[in-house]
Amino acid sequence: MKVSTVFLLVATSIVLLSTSASAKNIICYFASWTVYRPGNGKFDIEDIDTSLCTHIMFGFIGITTEGRISILDGWESNDDGLRGFSRLVDLTKVNPNLKVLVSMGGWNEGSEKYSIVAADPAKRKVLIDEVIQFLGEHNFHGFDLDWEYPALRNGSDIDPANYVELLKELKAALSPKGYLLSAAVSGGVANADIAYDIPVVSELLDLINVMVYDFHGAFESFVGHTSPLSASSKDDAGNATLNVKAGIQHWIDKGADPAKMHLGVGTYGRSFTLADPNNAELYAPVLGGGIAGPYTRQEGVLGYNEICELHSDWTYIWDDEQQVPHRVSGDQWVGYDDEKSIALKVEYANEKELGGIMVWSFDNDDFRGICGSETYPLMRTIKRTLK
Ligand SMILES: *[C@@H]1O[C@H](CO)[C@@H](O)[C@H](O)[C@H]1NC(C)=O
Ligand SMILES: *[C@@H]1O[C@H](CO)[C@@H](O)[C@H](O)[C@H]1NC(C)=O
């Protein structure tokens, strides 16, 4: 009797241990277009270190207004060209515990087509049938929906209800086959309130990836950090919730299950050209985005690798309130995340007992290890800090 009780206790604690050990996820996005970048910026599937993630998302496939899957980059994705889908799934041979999902949507896809499909039961069925067939054909482990965002960006008022219908039907089709259902969701408090019935969405999803970044950028007329951990004493009512803690806490307060939530971390910065180089304060006026980098090639954005390779001579300033760094040189200002700020974000995720971290994306980390002694300094920081 005693012996079996002891055995039972041991057995129970082993189960608990293994559950908690496997419960923390690092969900990494692969952005397929990064393969076309020049020089050291070129990133391909073989550059992925599979030991740094538990899940990899292929970004992105698209949708048609009829609910069909549209292949956004046939050359990169398809078996006729670079065979991106099958090479990504093949990474599970290197790390058998890895889950590989396909992600549909993203910022450039807009919201309107998703709104049209979600509103029509027949089109939802077309989509779900295609998704099931697609996952089977390419051996993905699940489906990630990155509709940015229901009821916003030319969406419709009835999107939040239709989004729930779509998720319900997806779950009913995916779960019996063992496929995961995931979504990337807005971490902006105002957007989240418009777009999601949070408790229902949380119930239906296996993985909730909260995009707590892009809070500020060259789409505004003043300096702001893309992903501050905390508020600033300079915030007014309009921007006091545009930070990581406010976004994550809002999802929890509205009824999301923290264990399903993943705090989104960006490996890039958002940059500005200052209106007056002598005023580089938070919320100082700007003329527009900062000068484009050689890899990301977009004004207003710089990868962490571009910052550390090319701009390590820019003045480094740590913001004690917002707990993030920025760099300044002349009229150029870039706010970004480094090892220090990412470690603080991961500690916050630990404290909130979240499911883990989501990373957008592999290709902007120093994946070649050019700046320091190791490859992937940001992703390694996540792995080391996540408890
Ligand atoms: C919304 O629709 C208008 C009119 O068709 C278009 O000009 C605009 O680009 C659309 N915005 C988005 C975010 O799709
Ligand atoms: C954020 O705060 C600054 C400084 O008070 C202000 O200029 C700006 O308009 C605010 N932004 C929003 C979105 O409210």
Side-chain angles (χ1 to χ4, degrees), residues 110-112 153-154:
S111 180
E112 209 166 342
R153 303 181 68 216
N154 290 351

Side-chain angles (χ1 to χ4, degrees), residues 215-216 220-223 234-240 242 282-284:
F215 286 118
H216 296 286
E220 293 173 327
S221 58
F222 48 84
V223 163
K234 292 185 177 170
D235 286 346
D236 58 18
N239 49 34
L242 297 177
L282 192 65
Y283 303 132

Side-chain angles (χ1 to χ4, degrees), residues 185-204:
V185 298
S186 174
V189 168
N191 281 358
D193 280 343
I194 296 168
Y196 313 108
D197 183 344
I198 289 180
V200 179
V201 165
S202 170
E203 181 70 36
L204 293 168

Side-chain angles (χ1 to χ4, degrees), residues 98-117:
L98 192 66
K99 301 279 181 236
V100 182
L101 288 78
V102 69
S103 183
M104 171 181 272
W107 182 260
N108 292 336
E109 271 276 284
S111 180
E112 209 166 342
K113 290 181 289 177
Y114 295 83
S115 175
I116 292 167
V117 173

Side-chain angles (χ1 to χ4, degrees), residues 104-268:
M104 171 181 272
W107 182 260
N108 292 336
E109 271 276 284
S111 180
E112 209 166 342
K113 290 181 289 177
Y114 295 83
S115 175
I116 292 167
V117 173
D120 183 334
K123 290 179 179 179
R124 291 200 301 264
K125 176 151 190 347
V126 170
L127 174 62
I128 291 158
D129 289 347
E130 287 230 341
V131 166
I132 293 287
Q133 203 213 319
F134 185 91
L135 298 180
E137 189 181 325
H138 296 284
N139 293 313
F140 281 103
H141 297 117
F143 178 69
D144 176 56
L145 183 58
D146 195 355
W147 173 0
E148 298 189 15
Y149 315 93
L152 292 159
R153 303 181 68 216
N154 290 351
S156 126
D157 290 349
I158 52 165
D159 287 349
N162 293 336
Y163 180 64
V164 164
E165 283 311 305
L166 177 58
L167 292 184
K168 269 187 195 158
E169 292 165 12
L170 274 167
K171 189 183 175 71
L174 293 172
S175 282
K177 296 189 183 301
Y179 291 129
L180 292 168
L181 179 58
S182 166
V185 298
S186 174
V189 168
N191 281 358
D193 280 343
I194 296 168
Y196 313 108
D197 183 344
I198 289 180
V200 179
V201 165
S202 170
E203 181 70 36
L204 293 168
L205 292 172
D206 298 308
L207 306 167
I208 307 169
N209 304 310
V210 190
M211 297 185 279
V212 272
Y213 43 67
D214 298 336
F215 286 118
H216 296 286
F219 43 85
E220 293 173 327
S221 58
F222 48 84
V223 163
H225 204 285
T226 173
S227 182
L229 179 56
S230 304
S232 162
S233 53
K234 292 185 177 170
D235 286 346
D236 58 18
N239 49 34
T241 61
L242 297 177
N243 60 73
V244 172
K245 284 187 178 175
I248 294 293
Q249 191 60 51
H250 188 70
W251 272 83
I252 296 172
D253 290 347
K254 290 281 166 162
D257 179 358
K260 290 181 174 182
M261 288 171 57
H262 301 84
L263 184 155
V265 166
T267 54
Y268 61 93

